[in-house]
Each structure stands twice: as C-alpha cells, then as structure tokens.
Amino acid sequence: MEQGPAAPPLLTVTTTTDSAEKARRLAQGAVEARLAACAQISAPVISVYHWQQAIESAEEWQVLFKTTPACYDALEAHLTAAHDYDTPEIIAVPVVRAAAGYTAWVRAETTAP
C-alpha cells in the first residue's frame, strides 16, 4: 500500500497586524492558550496588496507562531476570533526538519484541544 508523505513534525504559522501592541496580544494569547509554544514578532514590514479593488500599502507587524499540526485548527480559530482584520493572513508552513530537542519542546509546550 502506498503511503502519503509523513505529517510534518511542526508548523510555523504566520499572521500580520497593524500595530506592535496588537501583535503582542495575538502572540501572548496563543502562547497562553498553549496553541503555540512561542511566537516571534518581527519589526514593521511593508505590505502591498489588493483590497477592495485598489492597491493598498500598509505598515504591519508579522507574528510567527511555532506549533504542531494537531494544534493548527484551534490556533487558526483563536487567531480569527482575536484578530481585527476582516480577512487576516493565517498561513501555515510545514517544518521539513527541526532539531529533535526543539521539536520535543514545542510538542511539550502545546496542547491540542
């Protein structure tokens, strides 16, 4: 029987928001809920995008969450509920490889509902 690819050991999940304080609240809420082991907030980035039939440009803060595939659905729901954007960016990228100790730490620090 042919098997599909193995589930990635971890995910990095990215979102953006329009202030450092909002980014901090999103990060802290997800970590407190144990949906992410940690979250990193990057300094402002400039996003250029289509929105409501116009090209927009905005300064945003990017938040990168470290989590497991088992926690993704709950993390997405948490971010969607906590976010003030109409259509927030919530993108999960599989971690192809990670140090065993780091992977174990992320798994130990997250809890899938």
Side-chain angles (χ1 to χ4, degrees):
M1 177 186 314
E2 189 174 324
Q3 295 185 12
L10 303 175
L11 297 175
T12 57
V13 177
T14 304
T15 194
T16 56
T17 191
D18 61 2
S19 77
E21 182 54 35
K22 288 177 185 177
R24 191 177 320 276
R25 284 195 306 263
L26 289 171
Q28 186 162 342
V31 172
E32 284 178 353
R34 300 190 73 90
L35 300 175
C38 72
Q40 297 170 317
I41 301 168
S42 296
V45 297
I46 303 298
S47 295
V48 178
Y49 53 93
H50 282 277
W51 185 249
Q52 298 179 346
Q53 301 178 344
I55 295 178
E56 301 286 337
S57 179
E59 185 176 81
E60 295 183 300
W61 281 254
Q62 189 175 59
V63 187
L64 182 63
F65 302 89
K66 311 305 176 38
T67 193
T68 63
C71 289
Y72 176 80
D73 289 339
L75 177 58
E76 179 184 334
H78 175 84
L79 293 174
T80 300
H83 215 295
D84 65 341
Y85 283 14
D86 292 338
T87 308
E89 170 189 19
I90 303 172
I91 298 173
V93 177
V95 174
V96 176
R97 294 184 66 165
Y102 186 79
T103 299
W105 175 76
V106 171
R107 288 180 176 154
E109 295 301 321
T110 55
T111 305

